[in-house]
Amino acid sequence: MGLKGGLHTTGAKWFMIESQRHSYHLVDPSPWPISGSLGALATTVGGVMYMHSFQGGATLLSLGLIFLLYTMFVWWWDVLRESTLEGHHTKAVQLGPRYGSILFIVSEVMFLFCFFWASSHSSLAPTVEIGGIWPPKGIGVLDPWEIPLLNTPILPSSGAAVTWAHHAILAGKEKRAVYALVATVSLALVSTGFQGMEYYQAPSTISDSIYGSTFFLATGFHGFHVIIGTLFLIVCGIRQYLGHLTKKHHVGFEAAAWYWHFVDMVRLFPFVSIYWWGGI
């Protein structure tokens, strides 16, 4: 067994690294891109058929979602194998996932900004159709100083916990990083639970005028991002427990941490622009 480029290599793997004179990863042929495309197509067509009450729409939608989720699982499994076990993700290769994560987060910022802009546009210049006032006449709103205020500092606190986990990984303290990730996920679950209580107690629905539409779309999509980020952090916690993350190789965790900081900071905007302004 020899050591070359920071990787323990034997047999065919040693020959592969010896014969490769560059630091980039030439991926093997994979069936997952085409299977993911077919799953997305089935999900889209099935969703349209289901919404228009066509026979078999629900079945096609379900099969498409199952196929899509399976593709996501096995594709990411391959990426983890290539990076963790096979050592293909060199410093040059790691730049791609980092740039991709940043661009994805920027696109998500623009996505959520659309809903906050719609709410601000409607509230700053309410039309005669909704009574010229905001919230519209006859629409019940949540008290911003109850559950919304209680829920707002939880996500920034979880952001502090994920930063703690990052520093623990950089310091090589594996157990402390696991504890910090457990704390982060616990706070995220509490926040999601509070939002569920909030929706249960909400005096309006998504069909109640422009207020209901913008309120539930903005807060609902933010809550969906919290759930996705929570799953992302759970996977990172499992990988940290298994010893996959090291001081110099934890790109997956960095992407999760960046995404989570985006999620926890965005929480401040709906509180001010939707809960507080809408509850005046």
Side-chain angles (χ1 to χ4, degrees):
M1 180 176 291
L3 182 64
K4 184 174 181 65
L7 295 174
H8 292 282
T9 58
T10 57
K13 189 175 178 182
W14 182 89
F15 176 77
M16 176 191 70
I17 297 178
E18 276 291 309
S19 62
Q20 180 171 303
R21 301 299 181 183
H22 56 79
S23 57
Y24 296 93
H25 178 207
L26 302 179
V27 297
D28 298 324
S30 171
W32 310 134
I34 185 64
S35 69
S37 300
L38 293 175
L41 177 63
T43 301
T44 304
V45 174
V48 172
M49 292 175 62
Y50 175 73
M51 293 176 191
H52 290 272
S53 301
F54 279 92
Q55 186 176 3
T59 302
L60 183 60
L61 174 61
S62 301
L63 290 175
L65 286 173
I66 292 171
F67 200 54
L68 196 58
L69 292 173
Y70 173 76
T71 301
M72 292 165 63
F73 177 81
V74 292
W75 197 345
W76 283 333
W77 182 272
D78 282 352
V79 173
L80 294 181
R81 172 178 50 79
E82 293 164 353
S83 63
T84 305
L85 303 179
E86 298 179 0
H88 287 301
H89 286 196
T90 62
K91 288 185 178 180
V93 175
Q94 291 177 32
L95 288 176
R98 283 194 172 98
Y99 291 153
S101 299
I102 292 171
L103 291 174
F104 172 70
I105 291 171
V106 170
S107 71
E108 293 297 283
V109 170
M110 297 297 102
F111 177 77
L112 290 176
F113 178 78
C114 295
F115 299 116
F116 297 144
W117 178 266
S119 177
S120 298
H121 172 78
S122 301
S123 62
L124 293 174
T127 62
V128 295
E129 286 81 7
I130 61 174
I133 58 173
W134 190 263
K137 187 176 181 180
I139 300 297
V141 299
L142 289 166
D143 187 346
W145 308 114
E146 293 182 353
I147 294 180
L149 178 64
L150 180 63
N151 201 14
T152 298
I154 293 177
L155 285 180
S157 299
S158 68
V162 82
T163 301
W164 171 30
H166 194 186
H167 284 282
I169 292 173
L170 293 175
K173 299 177 179 179
E174 294 84 1
K175 288 186 178 181
R176 187 171 296 181
V178 172
Y179 297 153
L181 284 170
V182 169
T184 305
V185 171
S186 299
L187 289 169
L189 294 175
V190 170
S191 176
T192 302
F194 275 141
Q195 185 160 357
M197 292 174 57
E198 178 182 295
Y199 280 4
Y200 181 76
Q201 298 177 5
S204 58
T205 66
I206 195 172
S207 60
D208 286 334
S209 183
I210 184 64
Y211 178 86
S213 299
T214 56
F215 174 85
F216 284 99
L217 278 175
T219 60
F221 269 114
H222 177 258
F224 177 72
H225 282 74
V226 171
I227 294 172
I228 296 299
T230 303
L231 296 174
F232 204 170
L233 291 170
I234 289 173
V235 172
C236 287
I238 294 172
R239 295 188 65 205
Q240 175 62 30
Y241 179 77
L242 295 175
H244 290 183
L245 307 179
T246 65
K247 296 180 183 179
K248 296 183 179 180
H249 197 292
H250 51 273
V251 178
F253 172 81
E254 285 183 328
W258 293 342
Y259 184 85
W260 194 250
H261 285 309
F262 150 69
V263 167
D264 66 53
M265 293 308 297
V266 165
R267 171 66 193 183
L268 302 175
F269 290 93
F271 178 76
V272 174
S273 64
I274 296 178
Y275 290 101
W276 176 71
W277 184 256
I280 294 178

